[in-house]
Amino acid sequence: MDNMAELKRTETCFGTLSNGKKVNLFTISNKKMSVSVSDYGCTLTSIVLPGDVDVLLGYSTLDGFVNDNSSYGVVVGRFANRIGGASFVLDGTSYSLDKNDGENMLHGGFDRWEKKVWEVAPVQTETGLGVRFFRQSKDGEQHFPGTMDVTVTYTLDENNVLTLDYKAICDKKTPINLTNHAYFNLKGYMGGTICDHELQMNCDSYIEVDKNLIPTKKLPVKGTAFDFTTPKTIGKDIEKTVGGYDHCFCQTDYVSDGTLRTIATVKEPVSGRTMVVKTTLPGVQLYTGNFIEGAKGKNGFTYHKHDAFCLETEFFPDSPNREDFPSCILNAGQEYHHITQYCFGF
C-alpha cells in the first residue's frame, strides 16, 4: 500500500539484565503516533499520540519493569486473571498451581511470562508494520500441562490501529488465556484520575465476584453500577463498587467464530481522544488501577488509585473450573488464535 511509506520501525537497547542479557526496545510509528514495545515481557512501554502525549502508564527504564509486580503493559500467560483455589481438574487429572493471590492463582503464578526475554523478529503485513515475539513454555511451566509455543505480534497501521495477534499451540490439552495488561489514561500518564473518561461497552452482563475476586455468577448489568451499555463516565458509579472496578464484562451475543467485534469505546472529553477496543474474545476485564496508589512511574511521576484503566480482553476468570463459561481449553495440536485491536482517535 502507498501509505506503508508512512510507517517506520526502529530498534534501540533498553538495558541489560543482571545476568548480562540485553533487552531491546522496538518503536513503530506512522507520522501521527508511535508504539514502543520491549522483548522483556513482550511489554508495551509507551503509546505516544499527537502532542507528544504518552497515554500508557509504566516506567521509563528497564529496571522499573524488572522490579514491578503490577504488570504494566505486559503479555500475561499462560492464564490471565484468576483461577480459584489455584487448581483445576482436566480429564480426571488434578493440577495444583501457585497460590500467589491468597488461596488463588493470578496471572500465571510466581513464574510470570512478563519476566522472560522473548525472541523477536520484524514483521510486515499488508497494512501494518510491527514486531513478532515468541517463546516456548515448557511442559510443567507454572504447573500447566504441555509444551506450548506462543507467538504475539504487534502491528501498527496508518489508521492508528494497534493490533495484537496471539497464537499458540500445545502438545497436551491445557487451559489458555492470554491478554495484555496495558494501563491507559487518555489524558497522558500524568493526567490524574480516569474517572472523567467516558466508557461504553458492548456487554449486557458481567461476572460477579466474591471478596477474593473469584467468580460467583454471571449477572445482567442493567440497573447496576456495571451498566456501560450507553456511555457514562467511569467514575459515575465507581463508589458503588468495592474499591473500584476489577470485573470481567461479557460480550453481548458472543460467537466464537473469530470475528473482530467492538467490545469497548473510551473517550476523554476534554482532549477528544478516543480508543475503541475490538476483540475476538468473549470478555474484557475492566480494572481501574485500584492498587497502584503511591507507585513511582515514568520520569518519577507518582501514580494514584484510579489514575488508569485496563481493558484486558480475555476468557472469563476461573474458566477451567466453570463449565458454564466459554471454554478456555486448548486441545493438543489445536491452534489458539485471537486478535485484539486498540484503535485510537484524536
Side-chain angles (χ1 to χ4, degrees):
M1 294 184 65
D2 294 339
N3 289 338
M4 284 293 288
E6 294 186 3
L7 297 167
K8 180 181 177 182
R9 177 180 50 227
T10 60
E11 176 182 349
T12 57
C13 180
F14 195 37
T16 305
L17 297 174
S18 59
N19 62 3
K21 182 78 171 178
K22 181 182 176 183
V23 172
N24 293 308
L25 192 67
F26 304 86
T27 299
I28 308 103
S29 57
N30 67 4
K31 293 189 176 180
K32 297 184 286 291
M33 64 172 288
S34 68
V35 175
S36 294
V37 59
S38 172
D39 50 5
Y40 182 77
C42 202
T43 302
L44 279 169
T45 62
S46 69
I47 297 176
V48 181
L49 302 185
D52 200 31
V53 177
D54 184 355
V55 297
L56 209 61
L57 276 67
Y59 299 96
S60 303
T61 65
L62 174 62
D63 285 348
F65 291 99
V66 170
N67 297 315
D68 168 65
N69 291 311
S70 296
S71 305
Y72 290 98
V74 306
V75 165
V76 181
R78 284 190 188 190
F79 197 92
N81 217 314
R82 293 168 175 84
I83 295 180
S87 65
F88 65 92
V89 176
L90 185 61
D91 290 344
T93 300
S94 180
Y95 294 88
S96 296
L97 310 172
D98 294 335
K99 294 182 178 181
N100 68 321
D101 185 51
E103 291 296 305
N104 309 307
M105 186 220 69
L106 175 63
H107 295 335
F110 296 116
D111 186 22
R112 293 194 175 191
W113 284 10
E114 65 198 72
K115 305 300 183 185
K116 314 286 187 184
V117 178
W118 293 55
E119 296 181 70
V120 62
V123 65
Q124 181 173 326
T125 67
E126 290 185 2
T127 58
L129 200 66
V131 186
R132 178 172 292 129
F133 297 96
F134 46 97
R135 70 178 302 267
Q136 185 176 81
S137 175
K138 297 290 187 181
D139 185 22
E141 184 176 78
Q142 299 178 340
H143 312 293
F144 285 93
T147 294
M148 180 181 289
D149 292 310
V150 184
T151 303
V152 181
T153 304
Y154 295 81
T155 55
L156 178 68
D157 69 15
E158 68 276 6
N159 296 317
N160 311 312
V161 176
L162 172 62
T163 298
L164 283 63
D165 189 306
Y166 303 89
K167 291 183 179 179
I169 192 166
C170 194
D171 61 3
K172 291 182 181 178
K173 192 174 182 180
T174 188
I176 181 172
N177 193 21
L178 308 183
T179 196
N180 185 283
H181 206 299
Y183 288 67
F184 296 99
N185 186 322
L186 296 183
K187 292 182 286 189
Y189 69 83
M190 296 188 293
T193 180
I194 48 80
C195 287
D196 52 356
H197 285 51
E198 296 171 358
L199 173 64
Q200 182 174 11
M201 304 179 80
N202 180 34
C203 301
D204 59 4
S205 58
Y206 76 104
I207 305 298
E208 182 189 64
V209 294
D210 63 18
K211 64 179 181 179
N212 298 313
L213 301 178
I214 300 300
T216 54
K217 55 183 176 291
K218 183 177 176 181
L219 292 175
V221 299
K222 187 175 182 180
T224 75
F226 301 91
D227 190 350
F228 289 94
T229 54
T230 57
K232 72 174 182 182
T233 61
I234 293 174
K236 181 178 180 181
D237 296 317
I238 201 168
E239 296 302 323
K240 298 177 183 177
T241 68
V242 181
Y245 295 98
D246 194 1
H247 298 78
C248 182
F249 288 73
C250 313
Q251 187 170 162
T252 303
D253 299 326
Y254 171 70
V255 180
S256 58
D257 60 357
T259 300
L260 268 172
R261 302 174 70 200
T262 297
I263 198 168
T265 301
V266 189
K267 180 179 180 179
E268 199 287 295
V270 175
S271 67
R273 297 185 192 103
T274 59
M275 186 178 78
V276 177
V277 183
K278 300 179 180 181
T279 190
T280 59
L281 286 158
V284 61
Q285 185 86 3
L286 172 62
Y287 171 57
T288 50
N290 307 332
F291 304 110
I292 62 172
E293 178 64 40
K296 294 285 187 181
K298 291 179 177 178
N299 298 312
F301 184 78
T302 301
Y303 301 138
H304 297 288
K305 182 179 180 179
H306 305 330
D307 273 3
F309 66 90
C310 302
L311 288 168
E312 307 157 58
T313 56
E314 62 179 8
F315 282 101
F316 302 165
D318 203 29
S319 289
N321 294 315
R322 298 291 297 261
E323 291 185 357
D324 54 328
F325 289 173
S327 176
C328 66
I329 302 301
L330 185 68
N331 291 318
Q334 178 188 4
E335 184 184 57
Y336 171 98
H337 185 206
H338 284 284
I339 295 172
T340 292
Q341 289 183 332
Y342 297 101
C343 313
F344 294 93
F346 31 78

